[in-house]
Amino acid sequence: MEKSDIYVVIGCLLHDIGKVLYRYDDGRNHAISGEEYLRKNLGIENKEILEQVKYHHAKLLKSSNLPSNSLAYISYIADNMDYIQENLFNN
């Protein structure tokens, strides 16, 4: 397995970690809270993982100026596919 494959798995698993902080009155966007928590509190420094957490929603991704090969695009697509599967097929 390539390092980038491992980073995608880790990033996708952690992408919504900020929702826990958001529910406990953090008040900020969960993607921003999650990236900051991983970076500052857990000491994660891997740019590829942090980008996936921070930019897995279109609003932040559009203004990010990330390179077209950023792993954040994979997390964004996977998150949207999961949303569609949960909401379209289960309702």
Side-chain angles (χ1 to χ4, degrees), residues 55-66 72-73 76:
Y55 299 113
H56 69 275
H57 287 292
K59 184 176 181 179
L60 292 173
L61 187 59
K62 287 179 185 177
S63 62
S64 69
N65 296 318
L66 292 173
Y73 291 101
Y76 167 74

Side-chain angles (χ1 to χ4, degrees), residues 6 37 41 44 46 62-63 70 76 80 89:
I6 295 169
Y37 176 78
N41 296 82
I44 293 177
N46 183 287
K62 287 179 185 177
S63 62
S70 172
Y76 167 74
N80 280 282
F89 300 115

